[in-house]
Amino acid sequence: MSVLVTGGCGYLGSHTCLALLEAGYEVVAVDNLCNSSRESLKRVSELTGQPFKLYECDVRNGMQLMQVVEQNNVEAVIHFAALKSVSESFEKPLEYYENNVGGTLTLLRVMALQKVPYLVFSSSATVYGEQEVQPVHESAALRPCSPYGRTKVTCEEMIEAAARANPDFSAVILRYFNPVGAHESGRIGEAPQGEPSNLLPRLTRAAAGSLPPLVIAGDDFPTPDGTGLRDYVHVCDIAQGHVAALEALERRPSGVLTCNLGAGRPVSVRELIDTFERATGVSVPCRVGPRREGDLAACWADITRARQELGWSPLRTMEEACRDAWNWQSQNPFGYDGPVL
Ligand code: NAD
Ligand code: UFG
């Protein structure tokens, strides 16, 4: 099967391209490189020994996307391409709606015109917002609290409407919790443009000395050790979830299946720091600071549905995620653009 991966050069896209190639899929990637580098997929080709096509293309460019789909006999799409910073989405809401909603709309129209039957869509736990009941089930009422989160809800709604209108089109919507880590080779990993805002990349850079000591953003949450609880899941498990989603699409009748992808267990900021230090033997300079605005005390996933409907389970431990993240950081202190150590 020929699979189009939008945003293929990014963090989740590159790991998923690798998993797809290893599972025997043909891969075609498109990316406008607004938050990534071609180097990630060059390394995926090296790791798998399989060359594949990357088009420098914006998903909002319907004409170019049509050509890519047509020329490559695309049968399924995995749609990662989006802007993903919660804080930036408050500053540039229209850019977020244009890119995320506009890009998904164009893609859905191209898929309909070209009769591409299967879509896997990247959604996020951010669609849930604050929830009293943890772990969070897919049926929870959606309460996104940022423009970014609202773009994801809007995209989910468009996909559901498209599937209702066309029985030959079906989709799996994956709501990721907190993807972390890197491929075990240390050749591909998370390489955000500019300073990262997520915990693990900040932690590895603080440990490497390229960022100041890690600031624990609040230790007065109503949690066992006072720090925030999240659901960290290895990026290679997330990548495998996409292979499982494609397999499910081929076996299922039409419609939309929405699944959480997480490890299904809560880990606090302090626990993550301890796990990292234990797994790598490297100490993390840190101090406690104020809470970040809008941060949730706790958010973790009920992954029963992904287990049952996709036959997917997270296989990698938090220790492995920490080791892999450190391996990537140590070998590539400047991401894809600098020298490899
Ligand atoms: P990323 O920024 O590393 O990857 C996104 C890729 O899409 C980048 O390569 C970027 O250049 C590309 N892109 C953006 N807009 C584009 C456009 N209009 N046309 C073509 N390419 C475009 O991000 P990621 O962490 O790999 O996230 C992938 C997806 O998963 C996103 O949709 C994101 O919202 C979602 N997600 C990520 C996380 C996370 O923590 N990483 C959590 C939940 C959901
Ligand atoms: N944290 C710190 N110090 C830091 C950074 C983070 O203590 O320097 C803490 C946060 O307070 C939180 C935890 O680490 O308790 C995780 O924070 P992240 O920023 O890594 O992740 P979030 O869960 O806050 O946000 C992530 C994605 C968002 C997505 C959200 C909902 O970054 O895009 O999950 O799933 F919207």
Side-chain angles (χ1 to χ4, degrees), residues 190-245:
E190 188 168 12
Q193 310 272 353
E195 201 175 294
S197 58
N198 292 119
L199 179 60
L200 201 55
R202 289 196 74 85
L203 184 159
T204 54
R205 283 167 177 75
S210 58
L211 273 184
L214 180 72
V215 177
I216 298 174
D219 68 351
D220 57 353
F221 287 102
T223 61
D225 69 13
T227 68
L229 293 174
R230 292 292 185 278
D231 186 332
Y232 302 97
V233 52
H234 198 294
V235 63
C236 293
D237 282 331
I238 292 271
Q240 213 51 51
H242 293 77
V243 176

Side-chain angles (χ1 to χ4, degrees), residues 126-322:
T126 201
V127 299
Y128 294 119
E130 190 134 25
Q131 298 285 333
E132 270 175 27
V133 179
Q134 299 287 339
V136 188
H137 188 264
E138 289 85 352
S139 59
L142 304 186
R143 301 194 184 103
C145 37
S146 67
Y148 165 64
R150 283 188 281 276
T151 67
K152 290 293 179 189
V153 174
T154 306
C155 290
E156 290 195 6
E157 286 169 359
M158 292 194 306
I159 292 164
E160 275 153 19
R164 265 196 301 276
N166 178 5
D168 296 325
F169 170 74
S170 55
V172 173
I173 292 173
L174 297 175
R175 293 178 179 157
Y176 320 130
F177 279 64
N178 294 65
V180 290
H183 188 256
E184 59 181 4
S185 63
R187 295 288 291 155
I188 57 171
E190 188 168 12
Q193 310 272 353
E195 201 175 294
S197 58
N198 292 119
L199 179 60
L200 201 55
R202 289 196 74 85
L203 184 159
T204 54
R205 283 167 177 75
S210 58
L211 273 184
L214 180 72
V215 177
I216 298 174
D219 68 351
D220 57 353
F221 287 102
T223 61
D225 69 13
T227 68
L229 293 174
R230 292 292 185 278
D231 186 332
Y232 302 97
V233 52
H234 198 294
V235 63
C236 293
D237 282 331
I238 292 271
Q240 213 51 51
H242 293 77
V243 176
L246 284 180
E247 288 166 0
L249 281 169
E250 288 180 86
R251 342 177 258 276
R252 279 171 55 85
S254 59
V256 177
L257 172 68
T258 301
C259 290
N260 290 337
L261 290 189
R265 91 188 169 85
V267 172
S268 76
V269 177
R270 282 204 193 281
E271 276 178 272
L272 191 72
I273 296 171
D274 290 348
T275 306
F276 178 89
E277 292 186 332
R278 221 180 25 252
T280 62
V282 176
S283 65
V284 182
C286 62
R287 67 177 174 83
V288 175
R291 291 185 184 190
R292 296 186 309 190
E293 205 184 321
D295 248 359
L296 302 172
C299 183
W300 75 96
D302 181 332
I303 56 169
T304 314
R305 190 184 284 174
R307 285 187 200 279
Q308 287 174 349
E309 300 287 331
L310 303 180
W312 171 87
S313 288
L315 300 177
R316 295 159 181 88
T317 63
M318 216 27 52
E319 280 80 3
E320 287 174 274
C322 288

Side-chain angles (χ1 to χ4, degrees), residues 60 83 85-103 146-148 150-151:
R60 292 165 292 177
L83 301 176
S85 159
V86 170
S87 56
E88 190 185 53
S89 79
F90 283 102
E91 290 152 29
K92 303 176 179 171
L94 301 184
E95 273 92 329
Y96 272 67
Y97 278 98
E98 188 186 334
N99 200 4
N100 296 3
V101 177
S146 67
Y148 165 64
R150 283 188 281 276
T151 67

Side-chain angles (χ1 to χ4, degrees), residues 29-90:
V30 299
D31 203 300
N32 68 359
L33 304 177
C34 71
N35 195 36
S36 55
S37 154
R38 284 174 173 274
E39 176 67 17
S40 62
L41 291 190
K42 203 173 136 235
R43 295 188 186 182
V44 169
S45 276
E46 284 165 15
L47 286 166
T48 57
Q50 298 184 51
F52 61 96
K53 285 189 205 161
L54 163 65
Y55 294 85
E56 191 170 336
C57 165
D58 193 298
V59 287
R60 292 165 292 177
N61 184 339
M63 292 301 283
Q64 204 185 345
L65 207 53
M66 283 279 279
Q67 283 171 6
V68 172
V69 170
E70 202 170 8
Q71 283 166 11
N72 295 283
N73 298 314
V74 168
E75 291 155 274
V77 178
I78 302 183
H79 182 36
F80 291 108
L83 301 176
K84 63 160 183 177
S85 159
V86 170
S87 56
E88 190 185 53
S89 79
F90 283 102

